[in-house]
Amino acid sequence: MFKQILGKLPKKPSSAKFWDNGESQAPPDNNTQGGDDVLSHRSSNGDNLAVEVLPRLKDVSISEKQELFLKKLRLCCLVFDFVAEPQRNLKEKEIKRQTLLEVVDYVISSGNHGKFPESVIQEATRMVSANLFSNPQWKNKTPEASGDLEEQEEGSLNPSWPHLQIVYEFLLRIVASPNTDAKISKKYIDHTFVLKLLDLFDSEDPREREYLKTILHRIYGRFMVHRPFIRKTMNNILYDFILETGKHSGIAEFLEVLGSIINGFALPLKEEHKLFLTRVLVPLHKLKCLPSYHQQLSYCVIQFVEKDCKLADTVIKGLLKYWPVTNSSKEIMFLGELEEILEATQLTEFERCMIPLSRQIAQCLSSSHFQVAERALYLWNNDHVSNLVRHNSRIILPIVFPALEKNGSSHWNQAVKYLTENVLKVLSDTNPELFEECLRKFQEDQQNADDAKKKNGETWRQLEEIVASMAK
């Protein structure tokens, strides 16, 4: 990604002036005063400011580079309005873009030149804050759902991305650089900085969220002192999403970062981590927008079960609590996640929840939506799940048998009927005596139901005759 950005940099400077590089034109004569290379422009807040046209870092001596680098960082603190006046200050915007590219390249190429001094870290975080946290011009404005998809996609893209992309790249590089001293940096990349960074995850621009996800992961790994605060803040944002708003653009990215964090949890799991599973991850299944983040959520939940198999019972009962009733696509997601959880579930934990779980699977088998019934039948293709069922067949088979038998005889979809026949054959071969017992019980129940239906029909017929005779 960054090579593509740097590819736009000129290979050779045509002069000592930064703007004179063949890509942007020199500023008009009325913007220069005397012998000073100064370019006047108006910032996004309406103030008149001056942009000093600085020489390139590679054109100055080593002793002057650091001071020049600091000047370039200060220059990049100026924020332009890309929304109200996108065509204004084009030359100045290009100067800033080129300067941003240059400071990123300086961080990358710093190599083994020693740790960055505190003044560099301070100016770097000030520049990042000015561009990311002090730019209120653009707000997430997605057009109405009735509009064209193309318009919706354009509406969700940040117009200031030509600058912001490089600022995010700079922040990523400065955080990950071996020349960045974590002890010094934590004074400036503090709780306030991290909190504002987490707030940016609600951006509708997917490019911005992707950068934020990578940067947050780097900060979490680099600054151990911030880890509890980051987890607590993310918990609070997710609580607000679950209990209050139900709207947030960055839930999938949050969960992707959390998946890596959970993967690194030490055993035995702390109580706060188990509470996070039961109070945040499991309730996230009830939201209408689950499809947008289900893959990441499922990964987080399975990580917990793999680390502590005793949590399987809690997770499965949580899924059953929030199991969708009228949304078939969500049911298919739940069944897929359930299979992965069962693969990591031991027999003892399975036995604690197998009765309500079997009832729910029986309902899925009876679903008129063929994909739901089909996905439930695929559970028997999993060797571990089949083994769990086989060990508890005397309890599970009587619960699911009626649904299987009805599918095999009367389901409208041929694929479901074929899969059902295969499952019934497996169950019959596994325990023939129990299978025959369940079949007899099913036939008796069917006969009783038919008799009751006939009796009710006869009762209604007699009532109708009595009403008719009274009417005469």
Side-chain angles (χ1 to χ4, degrees):
M1 179 190 295
F2 186 66
K3 288 182 179 179
Q4 295 176 353
I5 302 173
L6 288 180
K8 298 180 181 179
L9 279 170
K11 295 182 180 178
K12 293 183 180 179
S14 55
S15 72
K17 294 183 180 180
F18 181 65
W19 44 261
D20 191 7
N21 53 28
E23 292 190 15
S24 59
Q25 300 176 358
D29 295 338
N30 59 1
N31 281 339
T32 57
Q33 299 175 359
D36 296 328
D37 290 332
V38 176
L39 187 64
S40 298
H41 76 89
R42 183 178 297 273
S43 70
S44 59
N45 59 11
D47 298 330
N48 285 317
L49 299 170
V51 176
E52 184 180 358
V53 184
L54 302 169
R56 293 180 180 275
L57 285 165
K58 64 181 180 180
D59 294 337
V60 300
S61 63
I62 295 177
S63 59
E64 298 174 327
K65 278 190 176 182
Q66 184 174 309
E67 186 58 36
L68 180 59
F69 181 64
L70 291 173
K71 287 183 178 180
K72 288 180 178 288
L73 289 176
R74 294 184 191 110
L75 182 149
C76 293
C77 289
L78 300 174
V79 181
F80 294 93
D81 190 345
F82 283 80
V83 179
E85 301 173 339
Q87 298 304 317
R88 288 192 61 182
N89 308 118
L90 294 179
K91 295 173 185 177
E92 293 88 336
K93 289 175 182 176
E94 178 63 17
I95 288 175
K96 178 181 174 180
R97 191 183 73 85
Q98 293 287 344
T99 307
L100 285 167
L101 288 169
E102 195 176 5
V103 296
V104 173
D105 188 45
Y106 178 81
V107 173
I108 294 173
S109 60
S110 56
N112 299 320
H113 296 163
K115 299 289 185 181
F116 292 127
E118 185 170 353
S119 58
V120 169
I121 303 299
Q122 183 178 11
E123 286 297 330
T125 52
R126 192 170 76 89
M127 184 274 285
V128 170
S129 298
N131 283 273
L132 301 185
F133 310 145
S134 305
N135 188 10
Q137 289 81 26
W138 182 75
K139 299 195 183 286
N140 298 339
K141 292 193 240 180
T142 303
E144 294 296 327
S146 58
D148 293 338
L149 180 62
E150 206 171 292
E151 291 180 3
Q152 293 182 31
E153 290 176 353
E154 289 178 4
S156 65
L157 300 180
N158 195 327
S160 59
W161 187 245
H163 286 180
L164 285 184
Q165 180 184 12
I166 313 173
V167 174
Y168 277 119
E169 185 69 29
F170 174 80
L171 177 57
L172 176 60
R173 297 291 180 173
I174 202 77
V175 168
S177 174
N179 294 333
T180 300
D181 192 327
K183 292 182 180 179
I184 295 175
S185 301
K186 70 181 182 181
K187 293 167 58 178
Y188 303 99
I189 303 178
D190 55 6
H191 285 183
T192 302
F193 184 93
V194 171
L195 184 62
K196 291 180 179 179
L197 201 66
L198 290 170
D199 285 340
L200 293 176
F201 271 84
D202 200 19
S203 168
E204 289 188 5
D205 193 330
R207 305 168 301 180
E208 192 169 3
R209 298 198 304 271
E210 189 66 24
Y211 259 113
L212 286 164
K213 177 187 70 178
T214 307
I215 291 167
L216 179 62
H217 195 273
R218 295 281 185 165
I219 290 175
Y220 189 90
R222 193 79 185 273
F223 300 94
M224 294 186 66
V225 67
H226 293 334
R227 290 183 180 183
F229 176 77
I230 291 174
R231 291 198 303 269
K232 182 179 178 181
T233 306
M234 293 175 77
N235 283 5
N236 291 338
I237 293 173
L238 291 171
Y239 278 137
D240 186 63
F241 172 68
I242 295 168
L243 303 173
E244 297 290 340
T245 64
K247 296 180 181 179
H248 197 287
S249 301
I251 299 300
E253 287 77 12
F254 269 154
L255 291 172
E256 196 166 337
V257 174
L258 285 167
S260 299
I261 293 173
I262 295 165
N263 191 37
F265 283 165
L267 296 176
L269 292 172
K270 295 180 180 178
E271 191 62 28
E272 66 170 290
H273 301 330
K274 295 179 182 179
L275 288 174
F276 171 71
L277 170 66
T278 56
R279 295 181 180 179
V280 177
L281 294 184
V282 173
L284 276 171
H285 288 83
K286 70 180 180 180
L287 277 297
K288 291 182 179 179
C289 53
L290 174 67
S292 66
Y293 57 80
H294 180 258
Q295 182 180 354
Q296 294 83 356
L297 175 60
S298 177
Y299 177 78
C300 291
V301 171
I302 292 163
Q303 286 285 308
F304 269 105
V305 178
E306 289 178 348
K307 282 186 172 289
D308 187 354
C309 60
K310 294 180 180 178
L311 295 171
D313 171 48
T314 303
V315 171
I316 291 173
K317 287 180 178 177
L319 285 180
L320 296 177
K321 179 181 179 181
Y322 298 115
W323 199 277
V325 178
T326 59
N327 192 327
S328 300
S329 60
K330 283 183 70 174
E331 273 196 279
I332 296 168
M333 289 181 190
F334 273 54
L335 286 165
E337 184 177 354
L338 177 64
E339 181 177 355
E340 293 188 69
I341 293 169
L342 288 173
E343 283 183 353
T345 303
Q346 301 302 315
L347 187 60
T348 306
E349 281 68 40
F350 178 74
E351 289 174 349
R352 293 175 185 167
C353 60
M354 61 182 176
I355 293 177
L357 176 60
S358 300
R359 289 171 180 161
Q360 184 60 61
I361 291 174
Q363 289 184 21
C364 293
L365 291 170
S366 302
S367 174
S368 59
H369 194 292
F370 79 97
Q371 289 179 323
V372 175
E374 192 176 57
R375 189 65 188 84
L377 287 164
Y378 280 143
L379 291 174
W380 272 268
N381 290 345
N382 188 297
D383 292 337
H384 184 70
V385 176
S386 295
N387 189 47
L388 293 173
V389 173
R390 186 167 58 253
H391 278 85
N392 297 277
S393 57
R394 287 214 161 266
I395 297 174
I396 296 174
L397 188 55
I399 297 174
V400 300
F401 188 86
L404 289 169
E405 190 64 27
K406 289 176 183 177
N407 272 0
S409 59
S410 59
H411 200 282
W412 65 271
N413 185 270
Q414 290 299 319
V416 171
K417 292 178 73 172
Y418 176 74
L419 288 170
T420 302
E421 289 171 3
N422 289 341
V423 171
L424 287 171
K425 186 176 185 306
V426 170
L427 294 173
S428 175
D429 294 342
T430 303
N431 195 334
E433 294 179 1
L434 178 61
F435 186 86
E436 288 298 326
E437 182 183 332
C438 291
L439 181 58
R440 285 195 300 272
K441 179 72 166 58
F442 173 75
Q443 291 172 346
E444 289 175 5
D445 290 342
Q446 285 293 101
Q447 185 62 46
N448 292 336
D450 291 342
D451 292 344
K453 187 177 180 180
K454 289 180 181 177
K455 184 178 180 180
N456 289 337
E458 182 63 26
T459 301
W460 278 107
R461 188 185 64 77
Q462 292 175 2
L463 287 172
E464 288 172 356
E465 289 178 355
I466 293 171
V467 172
S469 63
M470 291 176 65
K472 294 177 181 179

